Amino acid sequence: MSYASVPGLVEEKVDRGETTLVVDPARLVEACTVLRDEHGFNFLSDVSSVDYLGWGEAPVAGYWGAPAGGNSAGRDLNRPGTWGLRRVPAKKPKRFAVNYHLLAIVSGGRGAPRVRVQVWVDDEETVPTVVSVWPTCDWHEREQFDLMGIEFDGHPNLVRILMDDDWEGHPLRKDYPIGGEPVRFSGEE
């Protein structure tokens, strides 16, 4: 299937049988509307995001070389997470990837076609909401805002959905401080 008609298409990638359409964030709503109306992707199954802070910079477990836990043979078999990659991963276009997972569900059909729509944004950049295209996106975008701090322009109710209203920060970001809340046991005063 050709996706050349999708507005704002930056790149089409097919890897391991999965199609990813990288779209310009400014044209996301147009792209999603075309995918729904002309290509039949009538179901948004999920919205996910990835924080690539520090991606492609050493030292990170799994990178080739001594700073990353490797040895002269290329990897340390006794340390988990060092897979002996022979190159540092390529830089990503921006810090965050926001992924929309779409299905084309047909009554009685099996093996619904799937596509991933991906936009890239940095800190302080916003993504236009696609609630007008798929109303169920309301919850998904709120989850990404709450846990990753990604803001969705035009969202009808962009407030925390999982964390307490007074929670500071976004716990799934790589720069979120590791630590936690003190554990309170029942029976303690």
Side-chain angles (χ1 to χ4, degrees):
M1 178 178 284
S2 173
Y3 296 103
S5 67
V6 174
L9 184 65
V10 174
E11 179 183 10
E12 180 178 341
K13 300 185 279 188
V14 178
D15 187 20
R16 295 173 180 86
E18 295 181 3
T19 302
T20 301
L21 305 176
V22 180
V23 173
D24 175 18
R27 309 236 7 231
L28 177 64
V29 176
E30 290 175 78
C32 289
T33 303
V34 166
L35 286 167
R36 182 194 65 195
D37 297 345
E38 296 177 19
H39 295 276
F41 289 99
N42 54 2
F43 183 72
L44 170 84
S45 66
D46 194 16
V47 177
S48 63
S49 58
V50 182
D51 184 355
Y52 285 100
L53 179 69
W55 185 262
E57 300 171 9
V60 175
Y63 289 178
W64 181 263
N71 59 27
S72 61
R75 64 182 175 157
D76 183 353
L77 297 175
N78 297 313
R79 291 187 59 189
T82 56
W83 302 286
L85 298 176
R86 295 189 177 270
R87 60 185 163 82
V88 172
K91 291 270 188 194
K92 298 297 181 182
K94 296 191 176 187
R95 177 175 176 178
F96 298 103
V98 182
N99 304 290
Y100 296 81
H101 304 274
L102 311 177
L103 293 165
I105 297 177
V106 181
S107 179
R110 290 183 168 209
R114 301 167 184 265
V115 71
R116 177 186 307 115
V117 176
Q118 186 176 71
V119 295
W120 289 89
V121 291
D122 273 325
D123 266 330
E124 309 302 322
E125 290 183 339
T126 61
V127 177
T129 184
V130 295
V131 169
S132 62
V133 182
W134 294 289
T136 58
C137 196
D138 177 12
W139 189 91
H140 297 292
E141 289 179 348
R142 284 177 62 192
E143 179 185 29
Q144 298 312 309
F145 165 72
D146 193 4
L147 300 177
M148 293 291 272
I150 297 169
E151 295 200 22
F152 294 87
D153 238 1
H155 192 281
N157 188 27
L158 195 60
V159 295
R160 289 197 181 271
I161 194 167
L162 298 171
M163 307 303 291
D164 291 334
D165 290 338
D166 61 347
W167 192 272
E168 292 183 25
H170 306 282
L172 292 185
R173 291 178 89 146
K174 287 189 175 178
D175 56 0
Y176 186 77
I178 296 177
E181 298 291 316
V183 177
R184 289 179 275 171
F185 296 98
S186 57
E188 281 187 1
E189 293 192 30

